[in-house]
Amino acid sequence: MGRVGLTTENVVRAGAELADEVGFEQATPAELARRLGVRTASLYSHVANAHDLKTRIALLALEELADRVSAAIAGRAGRDALTAFANVYRDYALAHPGRFAAARYRLDPATAATGAGVRHARMMRALLRGYDLAEPHRTHAVRLLGSVFAGFVDLESAGGFEHSSPDSAQSWTAILDALDSLLRTWPTTS
């Protein structure tokens, strides 16, 4: 893509593709400029610096993931919604490892408040309404699910499950069954 084709949107998309190929931390303006066949300075008309590039990739990843989750959980409740939500996270992480890492990039509060991360939290809380959890238990459950999804995907992506049986897909299903059971019987006393 020549300089004439550079826009902020396609610079960020190219950055996201680069992150998927080489890893989010390695998706730098210099490497992206090499891939696009332009000088690094040409990118700075579209992104302010490396932090801005990473922030924009993170926002793109959060938006893509939120759109996929929203479509997957529409009309579902309980275990069906939990499974759909979780599978979208896992599938996205496996297909787009750099973007998935970007989705967990620390954003400043103002940027986070306007990004799709807010949609993720709302969708997770909506999913949990099917389990009749009141606060603060719903917040605890949101944190548990986020930790399990991210932790499993990180280990799976790093090859942590390749050398043992059963296969990771079976473990994923068993974990989702266990989470559903836990959420249905969540202890509500402190």
Side-chain angles (χ1 to χ4, degrees):
M1 167 183 319
R3 181 178 308 196
V4 175
L6 289 182
T7 65
T8 301
E9 181 181 351
N10 63 29
V11 165
V12 172
R13 287 205 175 278
E17 291 168 11
L18 177 63
D20 286 339
E21 292 173 27
V22 302
F24 180 60
E25 289 306 316
Q26 290 71 39
T28 63
E31 181 59 29
L32 181 56
R34 270 193 291 285
R35 295 277 178 112
L36 294 173
V38 299
R39 294 177 188 235
T40 304
S42 298
L43 296 183
Y44 294 130
S45 296
H46 308 286
V47 294
N49 50 40
H51 174 70
D52 185 37
L53 175 63
K54 289 188 181 308
T55 297
R56 289 172 186 267
I57 294 170
L59 292 170
L60 171 67
L62 286 166
E63 188 73 32
E64 289 176 343
L65 195 49
D67 289 346
R68 292 175 187 197
V69 168
S70 178
I73 66 171
R76 298 176 190 252
R79 189 190 192 305
D80 288 343
L82 173 67
T83 300
F85 194 109
N87 285 339
V88 167
Y89 267 69
R90 182 173 179 235
D91 293 346
Y92 188 83
L94 295 173
H96 301 288
R99 292 178 209 208
F100 189 73
R104 293 174 304 179
Y105 186 63
R106 186 178 201 112
L107 301 172
D108 66 73
T111 302
T114 62
V118 174
R119 286 177 58 204
H120 289 267
R122 256 185 289 159
M123 288 186 289
M124 182 76 79
R125 288 179 177 285
L127 176 157
L128 289 170
R129 279 196 297 268
Y131 292 99
D132 199 28
L133 294 174
E135 288 300 342
H137 304 289
R138 187 176 301 147
T139 296
H140 300 325
V142 166
R143 292 172 180 167
L144 172 71
L145 293 177
S147 299
V148 170
F149 299 165
F152 187 93
V153 166
D154 281 347
L155 289 169
E156 184 177 35
S157 296
F161 304 137
E162 290 178 358
H163 306 292
S164 62
S165 292
D167 125 318
S168 63
Q170 288 178 298
S171 293
W172 183 248
T173 300
I175 288 167
L176 294 179
D177 288 342
L179 287 171
D180 175 63
S181 179
L182 171 65
L183 291 169
R184 283 187 284 110
T185 60
W186 191 276
T188 56
T189 57
S190 296

